[in-house]
C-alpha cells in the first residue's frame, strides 16, 4: 500500500495569512501515460463529512474558493490556503488514488492563531 | 442536488452482523462507481470498499476482506455494505461516497460527494 504522510500535524495561522500543508507519498503517484498525479485533498469540519477540495493534485473542485490551491508532483505535494479565513478551520487530508487501496494521510488540523 | 443518505448503523456485539444502506438521489446512480469510507472515533479516514457502476468490479481493504460485502441496486439508486464477524476495531462512522468517474471503468477511487455517515459501534 502507498503510505501518505502529512506535515505538520497541526498548524495555527493568523487570519489573512498563508497556510501550507505538506503531503508525501511513499511511491510516486504520477501516472506517466497521462502525466497526471493521482492525488486529492479534502477538508473536514467538526461533525461534518469530508469535502473534496482538489483532485489531480491541482484541479480545484467546482465551488471551492480560489484561495485554496494544490501543487506538487511525483511524491511531494502541498495544499496552500493563501489567505486564511475563519471558516477554513478544519482538518485537511490528502489521498492517493494511484493504486488500490486508496490511502489517506493522517490529517492536518488548521486553527486560527 | 446530489444526496447520499446512509442508514443501518448502530450498536452491535462482536461477531454479529450489520447491513448498511445508502440511498442516493440527484445524479444518475448507475453511471458511477461508489464506495464506503470509514472514520474511527477521533481518527483519520480509511477506505473500506468500492464497487463499479455495473457491479463487475468490487474491491476491499485488507482489514475487511472476507467479512464485508459491497453491493448496489441500480434500479433503486442504493448502495449497501453487508458486515459480518464484526470486531471492536470496526467501530467507526461509515460514509457512503460517490466516485466522480462515469460510464465505463471501475472508478477513479477519489470521492466527490459524501453522505453524513452512519455510526457503527461494536461492543459487548
Amino acid at each position: 500500500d502507498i503510505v501518505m504522510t502529512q506535515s505538520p500535524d497541526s498548524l495555527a495561522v493568523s487570519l489573512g495569512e498563508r497556510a501550507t500543508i505538506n503531503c508525501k507519498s511513499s511511491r510516486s503517484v504520477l501516472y506517466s501515460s497521462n502525466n497526471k498525479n493521482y492525488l486529492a485533498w479534502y477538508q473536514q469540519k467538526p461533525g461534518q463529512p469530508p469535502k473534496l477540495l482538489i483532485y489531480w493534485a491541482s484541479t480545484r473542485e467546482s465551488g471551492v474558493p480560489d484561495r485554496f490551491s494544490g501543487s506538487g508532483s511525483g511524491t511531494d505535494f502541498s495544499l496552500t490556503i493563501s489567505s486564511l479565513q475563519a471558516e477554513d478551520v478544519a482538518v485537511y487530508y490528502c489521498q492517493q488514488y494511484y493504486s488500490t487501496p486508496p490511502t489517506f494521510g493522517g490529517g492536518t488540523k488548521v486553527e486560527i492563531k | 442536488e446530489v444526496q447520499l443518505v446512509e442508514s443501518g448503523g448502530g450498536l452491535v456485539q462482536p461477531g454479529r452482523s450489520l447491513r448498511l444502506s445508502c440511498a442516493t438521489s440527484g445524479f444518475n446512480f448507475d453511471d458511477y462507481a461508489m464506495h464506503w469510507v470509514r472514520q474511527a472515533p477521533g481518527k483519520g479516514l480509511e477506505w473500506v470498499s468500492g464497487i463499479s457502476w455495473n457491479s463487475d468490479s468490487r474491491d476491499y481493504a485488507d482489514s475487511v476482506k472476507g467479512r464485508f460485502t459491497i453491493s448496489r441496486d441500480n434500479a433503486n439508486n442504493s448502495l449497501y455494505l453487508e458486515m459480518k464477524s464484526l470486531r471492536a476495531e470496526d467501530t467507526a462512522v461509515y460514509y457512503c461516497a460517490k466516485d466522480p468517474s462515469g460510464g465505463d471503468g471501475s472508478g477513479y477511487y477519489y470521492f466527490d460527494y459524501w453522505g453524513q455517515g452512519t455510526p457503527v459501534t461494536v461492543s459487548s
Side-chain angles (χ1 to χ4, degrees), chain B residues 33-34 50-59 70 105-107 109:
Chain B
M34 296 292 296
I51 186 169
S52 60
W53 66 277
N54 60 359
S55 302
D56 278 357
S57 176
R58 309 181 198 213
D59 284 312
I70 191 170
S106 60
Y109 282 54

Side-chain angles (χ1 to χ4, degrees), chain A residues 40-95:
Chain A
W41 288 96
Y42 301 88
Q43 175 194 65
Q44 187 177 30
K45 297 181 179 180
Q48 295 186 20
K51 173 188 173 183
L52 177 66
L53 296 177
I54 302 282
Y55 55 99
W56 303 127
S58 61
T59 302
R60 203 178 299 116
E61 174 73 336
S62 176
V64 172
D66 61 7
R67 63 181 180 272
F68 291 92
S69 63
S71 63
S73 185
T75 61
D76 293 281
F77 301 90
S78 295
L79 174 71
T80 299
I81 310 172
S82 60
S83 176
L84 191 75
Q85 304 300 302
E87 60 265 32
D88 301 333
V89 169
V91 178
Y92 293 83
Y93 295 94
C94 61
Q95 179 230 329

Side-chain angles (χ1 to χ4, degrees), chain B residues 97-108:
Chain B
K98 174 184 167 293
D99 193 295
S101 71
D104 60 349
S106 60
Y108 285 129

Side-chain angles (χ1 to χ4, degrees), chain A residues 2-6 23-24 39-42 50 92-97 101-107, chain B residues 36-38 44-48 97 109-111 114:
Chain A
I2 296 178
V3 176
M4 306 300 290
T5 303
Q6 286 183 233
C23 175
K24 188 173 184 68
L39 191 286
W41 288 96
Y42 301 88
Y92 293 83
Y93 295 94
C94 61
Q95 179 230 329
Q96 68 80 20
Y97 48 103
T103 47
F104 294 87
Chain B
W36 291 97
V37 178
R38 70 184 180 183
L45 300 166
E46 180 188 17
W47 173 84
V48 173
Y109 282 54
Y110 70 96
F111 320 109
W114 300 63

Side-chain angles (χ1 to χ4, degrees), chain A residues 25 28-30 35-37 57 71-78:
Chain A
S25 58
S28 175
V29 299
L30 174 63
N35 201 36
K36 286 187 172 184
N37 287 284
S71 63
S73 185
T75 61
D76 293 281
F77 301 90
S78 295

